[in-house]
Structures are given as structure tokens and as C-alpha cells.
Amino acid sequence: MTASAHALAASVQAGRQTASQAVEASLARIAASDARINAFTRVTSERARKRAATLDRRLAAGERPGPLVGVPFAVKNLFDIAGETTIAGSRISAGDPPAQRDATAIVRLEDAGAILVGALNMDEYASGFTTENSHYGVTRNPHDPSRLAGGSSGGSAAAVAAGMVPLSLGSDTNGSIRVPSALCGVFGLKPTYGRLSRAGAQLFAESFDHIGPIAGCASDLALAYDAMQGFDAADAVCAPVAPDPVSACADSGVGGLRIALGDGYFARRADARALAVAMDVARALGTTLRADLPEAERGWAASLVITLIEGSSVHLPRLRTRPHDFDPMTRDRFLAGALAPAELYLNAQRARRRYREAALRVFETIDVLITPAVPFEAPPIGAERIRVAGESMNPRGMLGLFTQPISVIGLPALVVPILSDDALPRAVQLVAAPWNEAALFRVARALETAGVAGARITGNRA
Amino acid sequence: MTDATDSELKQPPFSATPRREAAGAPPAAGDLSDDALDAMLRATAATIRLAIPPDCLAGVRENLRAIIKTAGALVEPEAPSHRMDELAPVYRA
């Protein structure tokens, strides 16, 4: 089960294989691989087989169920799945009643013909960059199981990188789609804040929680993103903007786009290889422009403060009643956030607003900013310190150095894995102005077709 | 997600001196003794019906110190009047 989603859907629609065969291939791959990776916390085999059988009947009747027909996908276990408990990586929520209905994102992917096959591991309540989950175990990097897959959507990226599913969903507050996508060598999209409905997903820091797809190629990412677009009244921040499909325009090239390589904040505190890869990408795109986001450092600090305080508020009832059922690191962090003075939060919000205004001015002069996705390659599991650019860092906090200043102001960003001879994946982050996801996909596809970018999927591609 | 327990956050994330400190304002709670900070934490927790388990106190204290230090980098210069920020809902016709 390692074919791309678009190739698989074309094959199923053409009758070269059935949706049931596609699902069985995915389930077999999960059975064979997941003991090594620990990406899945639940495999919804029965639901998947029923859904596949229904699709096969529709196909036999001459219907065209959608652009993702027969494509197996899985979701971070903070998305509601009807009849399943939404555990959000926690022991506490494992005792909650089953969800009554599917999250909006699942409904929309299935409306496009996709088939849900399971739920994926994550950091507890999305608070972390490593998926070292004390309740459900660590998710391992498919390219080196002694290394981190990243987080908090670690299961979502690892499942795609290990070829268990061609498509998954994650959530991203500070980099939780982008960091694991980069470490696992797959494509990941965090759209503009408000673009995709979060209804039916467990929130973490509400003012910058996003959801988005992870896939093995830019075309699959575009198909999934397009399928999920559209207003949803069930999410108060889902914007009433018309869908802006990108699948059709992704191959239109980069002509006319003003592309700049990250400078200043985005050109330091990373290892030399991460910076060199970003520079190589800029060179491949023929750009010599450089740009920085003024006050990005303050944006990073603001994201830390706001996340901690908003996240603590979400979990205050559980902190009151079941503090010892949290992961100890998460618990102490949330307790501190619950007790932080209001002035810290308001100052962080003011700093965030000023930073956003400054950043938006930059995007009046450029269309796409290229930055390293993460400052270093996937660290060993359990590493407490690593040395980067002459600085000793705790990798757990620093993985979000380049992603946090982007999501805190809601800009769309796409992580593109770069082909190289490196032992572990390397990736860049593409950033654009609000609502300009199309520019990101044009650049990602241009890099892919030029042979610069491509996912690393373990096992053979069909 | 954040990991505010990281030692990086015990230092400001960048080198600029926190502006309020530069202006000579009183030190933030990050400079309180452990005992004073613990007393403040317990009292604040009581106001929101939250009990801090004794075995969590050190970790909470460490995280709070980290967040205060990080937040210190976000303080704006003292000024006689602030510019108008849009933190409240504003309706535009």
C-alpha cells in the first residue's frame, strides 16, 4: 500500500483494482509495519471494509464517488471518529464516551471517496514536538527507528512515511504538522488560520489551532486540501470564504511569483546543512531575493506564552480532578499556564498583533518565503541536548523554532521534503500571505517536477 | 506545541534586554524566592479552585519561571498612552 493517493484513486476508478483491495493492502501494511513504528493507536478495520464495499458497489453501478475514491487515510487521534473515543493522546480522555459523529474533515474526505482506516499516535493533548507519549509509547521515525518522528502529529507523518497510508490528517498549533512532516520526509500543509474546519477536533490553543493534510506528494496533498475546503458553521473561526481549489493550478509553474530565501531570524540557529538545503532550493528556483519577518523572535516568544495559557484553560477542569493522570511534563506545564498572570497573556497578544502587521508588510513585496522547516535532522529518541551551530539545545523545544512564528499569525505554510543523499530527511518550509495557499502548491510542484523535492517512503512504491 | 520546561526558555529567546527592566521597573516574579513564589502559586491556585499536588510544585515553579522570562521579552516600553489595540471584538460595517 504505497501507491500515491491520486494514482490509487485513478486505478480504483478505472476498475484496475477495487476499493476493498486498496483497503486490504493498507491494513496488511499496517499489520506488517506498525509494530516497528507505533504510529497507530486504533485500526478501524471493520468500518474501512464496510465503506470499501459500499464504494465498490457504487463503482459497479457506474458512479464516480470522488477524486480520492478508494484511498485509505488515517487521522491523528484528536479527531472525532463516530463510535470511537477521542483520546487525544491522553489517558484521561480514554474514559470519555465515544464520539457521536465524525469530525468535519473526515466527513469531507470520505465525501471525496477516501476510506478511514484508523487513528494515529500524538503527544498528549498535542503538547509536544516529539510524540514521546508516556501512555501509548513513542512513535519512531520510519527512516531510523532510533530517531524521533517529531510531533505532535508524529503518528500522522510516520504512517505516511512508512507507506501504511498515502494520506493522513494532523493538527498544527506551533508546527505539529510541519515538524513531523520534515523529520519523516513527507509533505505537510498548515493552511491559513480559518481555512479548514476544526469541528470535531480536540482544541489545544484555540487562537492558532489549525488542521491539515500530510501526504507523499504535493498532488495528493492538494487533493486532500481541496476536498476539505469550505465554510463550516460548526467551527466559529472557519472563515466564510469561497473554496480556492489548488489541484488545477499547482502545475502552472512559478512564473510571476516573487520568491525569497529566509534571512535574519530564519538564517541562524540551524545546522549548516539545514541552511544549505534552503539555499539550494532558492537556487533551484532561480531566486536571489532575501527576506526576513521583522520581530519573528517576538512572535516565537508570544507563541510560547499564548499556547501555554490557552492550553491550560482548555484543560483546567481535568487539572482540578485528575492531575496525576496527565503525563508529568504536560501536567506541570499546564498547571503553570493556569497560574500565569493575565498581563503576560495580554502582552503576548499585543506583541503578536504588532508582529503580524510587520510580517504582512513583507508579503506585500514577496509571494513565498523559503525557510528551513526545522533547525536540525531527526534527533535520537530521548536526547536531552544536541549541539547546533555552536549552541547546546534541548531538541524538544527548539524543533519549532521556524514553524512557531508562522502559525502564531496564521500564515499558510507547506513543508516540502528535499531529495538528497543525507541519511535522514531534510525539508524546507514555504510560507505565503493569508489565503495564498495556491502559491505554495505552485512552488512545491515546481520543485517536485524538477526533481528537487520528493517524499521518502520506506518500502517499495507501487 | 510548546515545551516550556526547556532550559532555553529560562533564558530570553533572544538577546534583547527586556524593555521594562531596562526602564528600571521592579523585577518580575521570576526573581522571587522559591518560598515566595510557592506561596503565590498556592494562593492563586486557590482562587480558581485548583490544588497543586505537592509533588508537582517544583515542576510548576520551574515552568512558571520559564514563561515569565519568555514573556519578559514581550513587554512594551512604558508610555503615557498606548496605541489602540484591537483585543476586543470590533464590528465593521
Side-chain angles (χ1 to χ4, degrees):
Chain A
M1 162 41 38
T2 49
S4 67
H6 66 276
L8 182 56
S11 175
V12 171
Q13 183 61 53
R16 291 191 292 273
Q17 65 177 309
T18 65
S20 296
Q21 287 169 332
V23 161
E24 292 305 329
S26 177
L27 295 175
R29 181 78 175 181
I30 295 166
S33 305
D34 201 42
R36 188 174 73 101
I37 305 301
N38 193 36
F40 279 79
T41 52
R42 178 90 171 95
V43 179
T44 53
S45 315
E46 187 181 348
R47 168 180 168 142
R49 287 179 173 128
K50 280 184 186 168
R51 167 97 180 127
T54 301
L55 285 169
D56 284 332
R57 281 194 294 275
R58 290 176 59 191
L59 286 159
E63 291 186 37
R64 300 183 67 84
L68 291 170
V69 61
V71 173
F73 74 104
V75 298
K76 188 174 186 175
N77 67 31
L78 55 59
F79 286 89
D80 285 349
I81 299 172
E84 305 283 343
T85 295
T86 308
I87 61 176
S90 74
R91 179 194 299 168
I92 294 172
S93 297
D96 288 352
Q100 296 292 305
R101 60 187 67 81
D102 291 334
T104 295
I106 294 176
V107 170
R108 289 183 175 177
L109 286 180
E110 290 204 330
D111 283 349
I115 301 171
L116 181 73
V117 298
L120 298 158
N121 201 17
M122 57 182 281
D123 288 284
E124 185 181 46
Y125 291 126
S127 179
F129 279 131
T130 62
T131 316
E132 295 168 297
N133 188 300
S134 63
H135 313 301
Y136 303 100
V138 61
T139 293
R140 298 177 178 278
N141 193 310
H143 303 288
D144 179 349
S146 73
R147 302 268 176 168
L148 292 172
S152 63
S153 309
S156 303
V160 173
M164 293 188 267
V165 284
L167 185 64
S168 68
L169 293 184
S171 68
D172 188 316
T173 305
N174 282 315
S176 286
I177 287 172
R178 292 163 289 160
V179 168
S181 294
L183 298 190
C184 291
V186 292
F187 291 79
L189 173 70
K190 184 211 76 64
T192 306
Y193 183 71
R195 172 74 88 176
L196 297 184
S197 171
R198 307 167 305 174
Q202 164 81 49
L203 293 175
F204 174 30
E206 185 171 359
S207 73
F208 49 120
D209 281 334
H210 307 69
I211 67 152
I214 295 173
C217 64
S219 299
D220 290 358
L221 201 71
L223 281 174
Y225 168 62
D226 285 350
M228 291 188 287
Q229 288 189 52
F231 177 67
D232 179 12
D235 177 358
V237 306
C238 187
V241 295
D244 182 19
V246 295
S247 294
C249 71
D251 282 317
S252 57
V254 296
L257 289 180
R258 299 163 299 174
I259 302 168
L261 175 62
D263 206 355
Y265 178 90
F266 296 99
R268 57 178 184 258
R269 301 188 82 186
D271 66 24
R273 187 69 187 125
L275 298 175
V277 166
M279 193 169 289
D280 288 346
V281 168
R283 198 174 294 122
L285 291 165
T287 184
T288 55
L289 293 175
R290 300 293 295 250
D292 189 15
L293 300 184
E295 304 205 28
E297 293 154 326
R298 288 164 65 78
W300 185 62
S303 73
L304 292 169
V305 174
I306 298 168
T307 302
L308 195 62
I309 295 175
E310 291 190 3
S312 302
S313 178
V314 168
H315 296 293
L316 188 56
R318 300 179 181 98
L319 290 167
R320 288 190 178 114
T321 56
R322 300 181 63 180
H324 285 103
D325 287 334
F326 280 88
D327 177 286
M329 212 183 326
T330 316
R331 177 198 58 216
D332 293 356
R333 204 181 297 157
F334 282 159
L335 282 169
L339 299 170
E343 187 193 11
L344 304 190
Y345 182 77
L346 291 171
N347 278 339
Q349 289 285 19
R350 292 186 184 106
R352 175 195 205 180
R353 182 173 179 80
R354 279 192 246 301
Y355 162 55
R356 185 179 74 168
E357 289 170 358
L360 292 181
R361 282 195 290 276
V362 172
F363 282 100
E364 291 170 4
T365 60
I366 65 169
D367 297 301
V368 174
L369 180 68
I370 303 163
T371 80
V374 287
F376 37 80
E377 64 187 11
I381 291 168
E384 295 296 330
R385 310 295 302 176
I386 60 170
R387 192 146 196 92
V388 176
E391 184 182 353
S392 174
M393 295 180 172
N394 180 331
R396 292 188 178 84
M398 300 303 281
L399 278 166
L401 192 67
F402 299 130
T403 53
Q404 288 178 248
I406 306 305
S407 36
V408 73
I409 53 173
L411 302 180
L414 198 161
V415 159
V416 178
I418 302 303
L419 296 170
S420 75
D421 294 329
D422 296 294
L424 291 165
R426 292 286 185 171
V428 296
Q429 172 181 236
L430 308 175
V431 185
W435 313 113
N436 197 13
E437 285 87 349
L440 302 179
F441 277 94
R442 286 172 61 189
V443 175
R445 277 294 294 150
L447 291 169
E448 211 174 23
T449 52
V452 174
R456 288 193 186 190
I457 309 294
T458 60
N460 297 326
R461 283 201 82 111
Chain B
M1 63 15 62
T2 78
D3 190 342
T5 59
D6 286 334
S7 58
E8 281 75 17
L9 303 188
K10 295 170 192 164
Q11 303 296 324
F14 43 95
S15 58
T17 305
R19 297 178 190 181
R20 179 168 290 178
E21 288 179 18
D31 297 329
L32 292 176
S33 69
D34 284 357
D35 286 347
L37 190 55
D38 290 352
M40 187 203 89
L41 286 174
R42 288 198 186 93
T44 306
T47 66
I48 56 171
R49 296 182 290 113
L50 180 65
I52 305 174
D55 58 316
C56 303
L57 196 54
V60 176
R61 187 196 311 132
E62 185 185 6
N63 274 278
L64 192 63
R65 283 196 193 285
I67 192 174
I68 287 169
K69 236 172 188 161
T70 301
L74 299 171
V75 175
E76 294 295 317
E78 298 287 357
S81 63
H82 283 293
R83 85 181 215 168
M84 295 297 115
D85 278 321
E86 188 185 313
L87 291 177
V90 176
Y91 300 99
R92 295 185 176 82

